Amino acid sequence: MTEAEVLQEQYRRRFHEAQAYRDGVWRAILDGFLQAQIGDNQSVLDLGCGWGEFSRNVRAGKKFAMDLNPDARSYLGDDVSFLQQDCSQPWQMPDGSALPDASLDVVFSSNFIEHLPDKSAIEATFAEVHRSLKPGGKFILMGPNIRYVGGAYWDYWDHHVAISDNSLVEVLQLKGFEPQKVVPRFLPYTMSGGRQAPLAFVRLYLALPVFWPLLGKQFFVVANAVSEGGA
């Protein structure tokens, strides 16, 4: 099987039955917290978009979504430009032309970079993020924090790189970003797998940050592109 075919099979096994619930979770996350971090009417790219829950629900002036899985296209709205590719390679528009330098306001990624094959792929991806963001543009990342997830981090066969909030901050600084907001413990490890918490609970959790250090096992990081990215 090709890498894209493997991704198709993994996504179908993990997410198919929970798709409607995942949409509801992402609407709650955006409305309760994340949209304010992104702003409105921005040019936003969803890096590792999966089945498009973020892209479908975010408010943006222009939407782009990137994933190697060809199935992702069918879950995205007509207002989303889909870039099917390896994110560690030079980023290209759907017509094959290069995604222009300094053309994006925000790049967002959730639960994705730990799936890249190694640290070199992460660094190459971050270099493309830096190139594509406007000066001062935001790189917003969410993902499992190995410091708090522990051994359960490796329960997913395609988790390849162990990432903590501290190691993420370090690589961001090396690649020309300045972290502005670092929340080591944000969401629980999974908000849409296993037992599905009522969406009212999800909204309440987001509104009460006092509970984040108790239950959160994912980091939330916002960094600005401020200098020339590292090689």
Side-chain angles (χ1 to χ4, degrees), residues 3 7 23 45 47 57 72 96 100 110 131 146 150 164 183 214 217 226 231:
E3 187 174 359
L7 284 172
D23 256 326
L45 185 142
L47 175 61
N57 292 292
S110 172
R131 179 190 69 78
I146 187 112
S164 72
V183 180
L214 302 176
K217 293 186 178 182
V226 295

Side-chain angles (χ1 to χ4, degrees), residues 132-174:
S132 301
L133 279 173
K134 298 174 183 177
K138 292 181 179 180
F139 190 14
I140 302 177
L141 298 113
M142 293 167 47
N145 192 332
I146 187 112
R147 287 206 287 150
Y148 305 115
V149 174
Y153 193 93
W154 304 113
D155 286 349
Y156 293 95
W157 184 248
D158 55 342
H159 279 195
H160 299 297
V161 184
I163 301 170
S164 72
D165 55 302
N166 289 332
S167 63
L168 179 59
V169 164
E170 184 173 35
V171 70
L172 284 167
Q173 291 172 330
L174 289 171

Side-chain angles (χ1 to χ4, degrees), residues 16 19 25 29 51 56 74 80 87 114 118 137 168 185 188 215 226:
H16 178 71
Q19 183 185 348
V25 168
I29 293 171
W51 278 8
R56 284 196 298 274
S74 63
V80 182
C87 62
E114 68 273 11
D118 51 40
L168 179 59
R185 304 185 72 143
L215 300 176
V226 295

Side-chain angles (χ1 to χ4, degrees), residues 45 47-48 66 85-91 107-109 112-113 115-133 139 141 171-172 175 177 230:
L45 185 142
L47 175 61
M66 182 181 295
Q85 67 163 94
D86 178 345
C87 62
S88 66
Q89 299 300 309
W91 289 5
V107 173
F108 173 77
S109 189
F112 173 65
I113 58 175
H115 295 272
L116 294 177
D118 51 40
K119 292 182 177 181
S120 295
I122 293 175
E123 291 186 11
T125 299
F126 282 17
E128 280 298 290
V129 174
H130 191 280
R131 179 190 69 78
S132 301
L133 279 173
F139 190 14
L141 298 113
V171 70
L172 284 167
K175 304 309 291 184
F177 296 92

Side-chain angles (χ1 to χ4, degrees), residues 96-110:
S97 63
L99 182 70
D101 294 355
S103 59
L104 301 173
D105 296 299
V106 178
V107 173
F108 173 77
S109 189
S110 172

